[in-house]
Structure formats: C-alpha cells, structure tokens
C-alpha cells in the first residue's frame, strides 16, 4: 500500500510532462502540415535523371 504513495505522484508528474510536451508541440506548429511530407515522396523530381535498367549479364537469359 505504501508503494502507491510513491507511484501515484510519479504517474501524475509523467502525465503533466506528457501534456506539457503535447501542448508545446501544438503551439509551435508541429502538427500544422502533416500531409506534405508524404506527398513530397510521390512527386517526381525533374533535376534527377531517370534510373535506367541494368543490362543483363552474360550468365542470365533475357526476360523477353
């Protein structure tokens, strides 16, 4: 029973810390634009040359 006198205040402090971190993240714009990073991956970048397929090696048969 005496353990609860230690664990309850520790858990309340951790809860307050987590809520504080979440509120800080919301106020500093961490959740403003969650979709653009996922969409940027799908966009083609014209500055990079296209990746060419490697020619077959001597030991491999052609796929055609």
């Amino acid at each position: 029973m005496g353990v609860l006198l230690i664990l309850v205040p520790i858990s309340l402090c951790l809860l307050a810390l987590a809520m504080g971190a979440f509120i800080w993240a919301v106020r500093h714009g961490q959740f403003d634009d969650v979709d653009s990073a996922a969409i940027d991956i799908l966009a083609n970048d014209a500055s990079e040359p296209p990746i060419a397929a490697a020619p077959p090696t001597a030991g491999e048969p052609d796929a055609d």
Side-chain angles (χ1 to χ4, degrees):
M1 195 67 168
V3 164
L4 289 177
L5 294 175
I6 296 171
L7 291 179
V8 170
I10 289 174
S11 65
L12 291 176
C13 289
L14 289 175
L15 175 65
L17 183 67
M19 287 178 56
F22 177 72
I23 291 171
W24 176 87
V26 169
R27 288 186 179 173
H28 285 87
Q30 297 295 314
F31 301 109
D32 286 348
D33 189 14
V34 295
D35 293 330
S36 68
I39 293 173
D40 287 344
I41 293 172
L42 301 175
N44 285 334
D45 190 7
S47 64
E48 296 180 14
I51 299 173
T57 60
E60 296 178 4
D62 289 338
D64 294 331

